[in-house]
Amino acid sequence: MRLYLRSRALPGTLAALAGAAAVAAWAAWWLVSLPGFDHTARLPVVVFGPLFAAAAVGASLHAPSDELDRTAVRAWWPRRLAHALAPTVLAVALFALALPGHAEAYGAPAAVRNTLGLVGLTAGAAVVVGARLSWLPPTFLVGVVYLAAPSEPGGAAQWWAWVMQPGSQGGAWTVAVAVFVAGTCAYGWRGARYVTGGS
């Protein structure tokens, strides 16, 4: 188990998640403390903090030896599923603590939702393009949505711009949870795509 954890760089991933949560907590406090700003100023933290966490989780999803994984006596899907879930649970807990208060807007619920959805998207991307590039699809999504989402939450935007929605939007939660379940299950079943020179 220790060799498995080290081969997937999980210790570094966990350290990156802790660092991201600490920076997110400081950034959220700093933004709110600026003159003329309120808790809604935490939106960038709620979006980009979970994006960084998802990228960190995605980087650990590589398989250093695809042949060993495919020819192992025991099924690898339980290990892969646990591998995707364990750092996700840590990230969710850390971001929930980093953004207290204002649950109806851009607080812990929105950060938790975005962490789940973006990790799921990253895990699914690892199956398609490999772990090294798994950060690209969620980064593209966040970039497009951040620029194109309407200023008013709700409506149809909660379905396609779910990362920009307050924590109370049910449609955004539905999309994020569906993406998380689909992405993590796909990774658990198939693993990251092996790419020459790494995966």
Side-chain angles (χ1 to χ4, degrees), residues 7-86:
S7 69
R8 268 67 175 181
L10 275 175
T13 299
L14 301 183
L17 293 177
V23 171
W26 174 84
W29 169 84
W30 177 73
L31 287 170
V32 173
S33 69
L34 294 174
F37 286 80
D38 59 11
H39 64 276
T40 59
R42 300 193 297 181
L43 174 60
V45 178
V46 168
V47 173
F48 293 105
L51 177 62
F52 180 84
V57 173
S60 74
L61 298 181
H62 72 285
S65 178
D66 184 59
E67 293 81 6
L68 288 177
D69 286 4
R70 286 189 287 106
T71 59
V73 176
R74 295 182 180 179
W76 275 88
W77 71 263
R79 289 181 180 86
R80 287 194 294 257
L81 195 58
H83 177 176
L85 292 177

Side-chain angles (χ1 to χ4, degrees), residues 7 16-18 22 28 51 59 72 81 87 97 112 121 130 139 150-151 156-157 171 174 188:
S7 69
L17 293 177
L51 177 62
L81 195 58
L97 294 173
V112 167
L121 184 57
T139 301
S151 57
T174 300

Side-chain angles (χ1 to χ4, degrees), residues 23 30 47 60 68 84 89-90 106 116 128 165 173 175 189 195:
V23 171
W30 177 73
V47 173
S60 74
L68 288 177
V89 169
L90 176 63
Y106 300 111
L116 290 174
V128 178
Q165 301 298 305
W173 271 97
V175 174
W189 183 253
V195 180

Side-chain angles (χ1 to χ4, degrees), residues 55-160:
V57 173
S60 74
L61 298 181
H62 72 285
S65 178
D66 184 59
E67 293 81 6
L68 288 177
D69 286 4
R70 286 189 287 106
T71 59
V73 176
R74 295 182 180 179
W76 275 88
W77 71 263
R79 289 181 180 86
R80 287 194 294 257
L81 195 58
H83 177 176
L85 292 177
T88 303
V89 169
L90 176 63
V92 163
L94 289 174
F95 278 102
L97 294 173
L99 294 153
H102 304 288
E104 76 288 351
Y106 300 111
V112 167
R113 179 202 64 217
N114 286 351
T115 302
L116 290 174
L118 292 172
V119 166
L121 184 57
T122 303
V127 177
V128 178
V129 298
R132 285 189 177 179
L133 298 177
S134 62
W135 57 274
L136 281 174
T139 301
F140 178 77
L141 170 75
V142 167
V144 170
V145 169
Y146 198 83
L147 295 174
S151 57
E152 290 297 322
Q158 67 180 311
W159 300 98
W160 63 269

